[in-house]
Amino acid sequence: VQLQAYGGGLVQPGGSLRLSCAASGRIFAINLMAWYRQAPGQQRELVATISSGGNTNYPDSVKGRFTISRDNAKNAVYLQINSLKPEDTAVYYCNANIRASWLELPAIYWGQGTQVTVSS
């Protein structure tokens, strides 16, 4: 199982970005999917989660600006980021709880990260 994240880039303050992450390989079921970010010198922090049923959660620091969504048919998760701020600059990682087969227990998988830089 692999997760591939993409969609990052350089954007001006106030702009928007949409990050995407697709899972591939042997997949039986995908449970919780999430996005994390890690700024230079900082710990990795959770910014959004979405359950298999579509329930979402966000920390207060990003609520109202970040929107997570998923396409179960494509094994994909997305993160729409609006009103970007310089403090949103970080490497963004996708994360998923995936069951590779009905015989196996779920495991956590990480994408490789995509850089988001907010600067004028």
Side-chain angles (χ1 to χ4, degrees), residues 9-120:
L10 174 63
V11 63
Q12 291 188 341
S16 298
L17 272 179
R18 187 182 192 231
L19 307 182
S20 301
C21 175
S24 61
R26 192 164 55 95
I27 297 171
F28 175 74
I30 302 179
N31 302 313
L32 194 73
M33 303 184 85
W35 286 94
Y36 288 73
R37 68 183 179 185
Q38 188 167 20
Q42 303 293 319
Q43 289 189 335
R44 192 171 295 188
E45 66 167 331
L46 177 66
V47 296
T49 65
I50 185 166
S51 71
S52 57
N55 293 317
T56 60
N57 275 290
Y58 310 90
D60 289 342
S61 58
V62 305
K63 200 172 291 184
R65 297 192 301 119
F66 287 27
T67 302
I68 189 172
S69 60
R70 64 190 284 171
D71 184 334
N72 291 330
K74 296 181 179 180
N75 293 329
V77 62
Y78 309 98
L79 186 68
Q80 177 70 39
I81 311 174
N82 298 326
S83 302
L84 277 155
K85 306 174 181 180
E87 52 263 41
D88 293 321
T89 295
V91 178
Y92 285 71
Y93 297 91
C94 56
N95 165 292
N97 183 295
I98 299 174
R99 196 172 181 183
S101 76
W102 72 275
L103 291 172
E104 301 174 51
L105 293 174
I108 300 295
Y109 294 88
W110 290 89
Q112 84 285 8
T114 185
Q115 176 71 46
V116 173
T117 302
V118 185
S119 175
S120 55

